[in-house]
Amino acid sequence: MTCDTDWSWPQIATLNLIMRKRVDWSLLRSGWTIPVDIHERLVDENDGVELQPKDKRHVVLLVDGHPFDAMLTCIRRPQGPPHILQIRYDTNQELRQVLEATFWTSRKYLQLERERLRRELGPNAKLYAEVPPHFAEFVEWRATGIPFYYHVDLVPCRFRASDIVKQTLANLGEPHIEAILAEESENRFAYWVAAIERITPEDNAEVARALRYCRRYLGLAQRLLGQMYGHTCQLCGRQAQYSAGSMVNTTHHIDPVTTSMDNRISNLVLVCPTHHAMLHAHNFTFDRTSLSFASPKMCVLKIAMDKHLGS
Ligand SMILES: [Zn+2]
Ligand SMILES: [Zn+2]
């Protein structure tokens, strides 16, 4: 897949969001630098406490409800304030392992890219590699209301689930799971997750986690595709209808999400609800070469408009 457009990810504010940070090498290894325009907001969140150069504060990062220790540090900028603020967890091996395991797509890409650059530029060169936008992953840093306590939501493009989890979700049906992942209301989503947890006594925490993680990324990917195509179905070119105040943004997974857990836009097609229902009712499969869906009984449906799937 090629990517020659500069696709910027839509800025969607979720509850108490301080910032959405794209996963890069330093985020996987040591932490992140806080942009200057967020400094003031952070002081607010921390009950007015403003760090001065050389100050360090212990902070807690809640990842999936699990607390991880980190530091908020302030480093003097040679040319004067505003100084550099960073969240750092260099020595927190456990957190680094969670980040590396969750963001395995970014980690693999960055590792290969860094090896290539090292071969090309020599052992002492400064290596700068960035994950391409079409599978960029994120952490969402959110306030808890308690100073120096923050939520950190991980937003991986492909969730690594066990076979039991995949089987459980596949048994519930691909269209059903896709609809739950596309659910915009937090309450209704929580209701669905609880319902699924009740019928999956084993590994239900893992099933709920897979659903949460997939929904976070899909929510971003869906809005990105909505913007790219002006909320128009890629099959019929019809604009989606408004429903309860928002555009109907339906995405269909080319490789089923229940087994691939892949929410990268390269695995998504933006379709109208009618075409989405049709694709599932007649078991259409997608051919990436001809960019068309084919069903054993039905006609071939060719993609009418494409900006992100073609090679
Ligand atoms: Zn679908
Ligand atoms: Zn359509």
Side-chain angles (χ1 to χ4, degrees):
M1 169 183 163
T2 58
C3 173
D4 50 8
T5 335
D6 176 27
W7 291 334
S8 52
W9 284 82
Q11 288 303 306
I12 307 146
T14 55
L15 194 65
N16 299 327
L17 186 71
I18 300 173
M19 69 181 277
R20 181 176 291 118
K21 165 82 185 142
R22 186 190 288 207
V23 174
D24 56 18
W25 192 252
S26 61
L27 185 133
L28 293 174
R29 314 293 296 182
S30 55
W32 66 82
T33 298
I34 301 160
V36 171
D37 55 352
I38 290 168
H39 286 191
E40 214 174 299
R41 162 87 194 267
L42 197 63
V43 172
D44 274 356
E45 297 298 346
N46 293 333
D47 254 2
V49 178
E50 198 175 348
L51 267 66
Q52 298 304 319
K54 292 188 179 166
D55 281 355
K56 275 181 189 184
R57 280 295 291 252
H58 170 244
V59 297
V60 174
L61 306 178
L62 292 166
V63 180
D64 246 341
H66 186 95
F68 290 97
D69 293 322
M71 298 299 277
L72 177 63
T73 66
C74 182
I75 305 161
R76 182 180 300 281
R77 197 187 295 270
Q79 61 269 45
H83 299 296
I84 301 162
L85 284 179
Q86 289 180 329
I87 293 283
R88 300 208 65 112
Y89 38 78
D90 316 53
T91 53
N92 192 332
Q93 194 68 22
E94 204 195 338
L95 176 56
R96 288 169 46 181
Q97 273 168 7
V98 169
L99 295 172
E100 287 202 1
T102 309
F103 297 120
W104 56 286
T105 309
S106 292
R107 180 175 51 86
K108 271 209 289 208
Y109 177 85
L110 291 169
Q111 254 167 2
L112 289 172
E113 195 57 13
R114 286 169 62 86
E115 275 166 30
R116 188 185 65 81
L117 287 170
R118 194 169 285 124
R119 275 197 307 275
E120 231 168 63
L121 307 171
N124 300 322
K126 194 161 162 52
L127 305 175
Y128 182 74
E130 197 176 56
V131 179
H134 56 269
F135 59 92
E137 302 180 290
F138 306 91
V139 296
E140 291 185 343
W141 183 24
R142 293 192 291 116
T144 58
I146 304 168
F148 304 104
Y149 270 71
Y150 317 107
H151 286 291
V152 174
D153 286 343
L154 313 184
V155 195
C157 63
R158 286 185 286 175
F159 184 78
R160 202 171 242 168
S162 68
D163 289 342
I164 301 168
V165 170
K166 288 180 190 169
Q167 195 55 52
T168 306
L169 294 177
N171 289 346
L172 290 162
E174 174 77 8
H176 186 47
I177 297 301
E178 270 189 328
I180 291 172
L181 295 178
E183 177 57 67
E184 287 197 13
S185 148
E186 292 295 334
N187 285 343
R188 280 197 298 266
F189 177 69
Y191 167 83
W192 283 114
V193 171
I196 289 175
E197 276 186 311
R198 272 200 299 280
I199 54 167
T200 53
E202 305 214 14
D203 271 311
N204 56 5
E206 185 65 10
V207 168
R209 199 158 149 255
L211 290 170
R212 270 204 315 277
Y213 276 40
C214 283
R215 175 169 173 260
R216 277 183 206 149
Y217 200 87
L218 190 65
L220 293 178
Q222 213 155 244
R223 279 173 171 81
L224 179 63
L225 289 177
Q227 282 180 5
M228 275 171 77
Y229 292 97
H231 302 273
T232 303
C233 173
Q234 281 186 261
L235 284 169
C236 63
R238 235 172 260 143
Q239 213 175 29
Q241 299 299 306
Y242 278 97
S243 160
S246 66
M247 281 283 191
V248 178
N249 262 347
T250 327
T251 44
H252 173 66
H253 289 80
I254 295 170
D255 293 329
V257 68
T258 47
T259 48
S260 70
M261 307 254 109
D262 181 353
N263 293 290
R264 292 175 298 176
I265 60 170
S266 54
N267 192 39
L268 297 172
V269 183
L270 192 74
V271 286
C272 66
T274 312
H275 270 118
H276 199 191
M278 192 191 267
L279 293 177
H280 285 286
H282 300 284
N283 297 317
F284 277 89
T285 51
F286 190 64
D287 175 46
R288 284 187 183 269
T289 324
S290 60
L291 291 187
S292 55
F293 285 97
S295 146
K297 287 188 201 144
M298 300 283 289
C299 56
V300 169
L301 291 172
K302 202 164 164 31
I303 294 268
M305 188 176 31
D306 174 57
K307 294 180 182 178
H308 76 286
L309 294 170
S311 49

